[in-house]
Amino acid sequence: MRLYAIETGHFKLDGGAMFGVVPKTLWERTNPADQMNRIKMAARSLLIEDGKRLILIDTGLGNKQSEKFFSNYALWGNFDLNSSLKKAGFHSDDITDVVFTHLHFDHCGGAIVRNKKGFYEPAFKNARFWSHKDHWQWAKEPNVREAASFLPENILPIEESGQLNFVENAMTELGFDVLLMDGHTEKQLLPVIQYKGKTIVFAADLIPTAGHLPVPYVMGYDTRPLLTLSEKKGFLSTAVKEDYLLFLEHDAENELISLKNTEKGARLDQSFSLDTYFGS
């Protein structure tokens, strides 16, 4: 097995929305804001090469939305999904499986492209797409709070393609375990990967950046924030005890982090890239 960090593109989001009720004077210490109160965000996917399988976890925002849409998210940097796959030595046609932690547009938008005729189609024509069944139904019939994040053009073409699969036994189907978290959205799926003697958890939106490690630092986007508090507390306790590494999807500065226990709870210990920690 080999792991690759795939940078799909950077964007910005409102810092207040990303930290909920936490005062700016606190969250800005780790996530400084620009003049419009926006903080830098990554959309970092994880590519797993395991035998004949090439599994991509999440796909970033993609590039098919309108200029007006993207103007709301202040795209920055030079990363995109295809060039990052190419840098790792692969092509979109090589991907055998795409796993969605959840279906908010910044996690699944890159899975669908607009073809030359203007129709939407899967970007990974040879892949099986994996989601949790309950989350899929949740996304197809969105609540008012999440409707702007669940875009039909990201979801329906996957179902229509015949490439959609639902995760029932992740270890058998994908080769790694998953954790299910319901605070951010219904049945968010966090991959748990055993790699070179370490446990790596793809933290997705449970812990989007290292600045979100304090348990009360919960996003305003979460549908059940009190549940997120409970899920984070339990997860971080286990993560410190078991010496997990966290792969951060949205942290523009920190790719892979280790944790330490402090009197205030779990905090950042060290930050690495996959290549520096495990060797390229």
Side-chain angles (χ1 to χ4, degrees):
M1 179 187 288
R2 184 173 177 185
L3 303 182
Y4 305 83
I6 302 296
E7 299 285 356
T8 72
H10 288 169
F11 62 110
K12 292 184 179 182
L13 284 179
D14 183 83
M18 283 300 297
F19 286 92
V21 300
V22 178
K24 182 178 180 178
T25 52
L26 297 180
W27 60 252
E28 196 171 31
R29 297 173 185 174
T30 55
N31 298 73
D34 66 12
Q35 68 276 12
M36 296 181 68
N37 206 49
R38 301 172 304 187
I39 64 172
K40 292 181 176 180
M41 301 280 288
R44 183 178 297 113
S45 298
L46 182 64
L47 185 64
I48 305 170
E49 183 182 18
D50 191 8
K52 295 182 179 180
R53 300 185 74 174
L54 200 60
I55 303 171
L56 184 65
I57 301 174
D58 282 352
T59 64
L61 288 77
N63 58 14
K64 66 182 178 299
Q65 307 301 139
S66 68
E67 183 177 341
K68 180 180 179 181
F69 176 90
F70 284 122
S71 69
N72 294 323
Y73 302 102
L75 304 186
W76 62 281
N78 299 313
F79 296 115
D80 67 74
L81 178 55
N82 286 331
S83 63
S84 293
L85 287 174
K86 183 178 180 180
K87 183 178 179 181
F90 302 104
H91 185 274
S92 59
D93 291 350
D94 299 326
I95 304 299
T96 63
D97 302 86
V98 175
V99 178
F100 298 120
T101 60
H102 59 297
L103 296 165
H104 288 167
F105 67 83
D106 55 320
H107 295 258
C108 71
I112 298 296
V113 295
R114 194 190 299 267
N115 64 26
K116 294 180 180 179
K117 295 182 179 180
F119 297 111
Y120 295 120
E121 64 182 15
F124 306 97
K125 65 182 183 181
N126 298 316
R128 292 178 292 177
F129 294 93
W130 296 90
S131 175
H132 191 280
K133 185 176 182 179
D134 291 347
H135 179 70
W136 188 268
Q137 291 304 123
W138 180 270
K140 282 185 64 178
E141 301 174 3
N143 57 76
V144 174
R145 187 180 180 89
E146 292 181 278
S149 294
F150 291 132
L151 306 182
E153 59 266 35
N154 288 336
I155 297 171
L156 298 182
I158 295 174
E159 191 170 61
E160 294 164 358
S161 73
Q163 295 169 245
L164 176 62
N165 296 264
F166 295 125
V167 177
E168 295 181 358
N169 186 323
M171 182 58 76
T172 299
E173 296 156 344
L174 302 172
F176 51 80
D177 284 324
V178 299
L179 300 173
L180 295 178
M181 300 287 173
D182 295 308
H184 178 59
T185 188
E186 179 75 7
K187 297 296 181 288
Q188 180 181 201
L189 184 156
L190 307 187
V192 181
I193 300 155
Q194 304 303 320
Y195 184 58
K196 296 187 177 181
K198 298 293 293 186
T199 298
I200 300 175
V201 178
F202 189 96
D205 279 351
L206 179 67
I207 303 172
T209 76
H212 288 84
L213 284 170
V215 171
Y217 286 39
V218 173
M219 290 189 290
Y221 299 109
D222 287 12
T223 60
R224 306 178 182 104
L226 294 181
L227 181 55
T228 298
L229 290 174
S230 176
E231 290 174 339
K232 277 182 68 176
K233 183 177 180 180
F235 171 76
L236 288 171
S237 176
T238 301
V240 170
K241 181 179 179 180
E242 301 296 333
D243 196 26
Y244 291 172
L245 297 173
L246 304 189
F247 186 88
L248 301 180
E249 186 166 13
H250 284 316
D251 194 316
E253 305 297 332
N254 301 292
E255 179 178 302
L256 186 73
I257 63 171
S258 60
L259 304 176
K260 62 183 178 182
N261 197 31
T262 74
E263 61 182 14
K264 294 183 178 181
R267 293 293 187 271
L268 173 67
D269 183 19
Q270 297 184 69
S271 176
F272 318 89
S273 69
L274 281 170
D275 287 346
T276 56
Y277 190 93
F278 294 103
S280 57

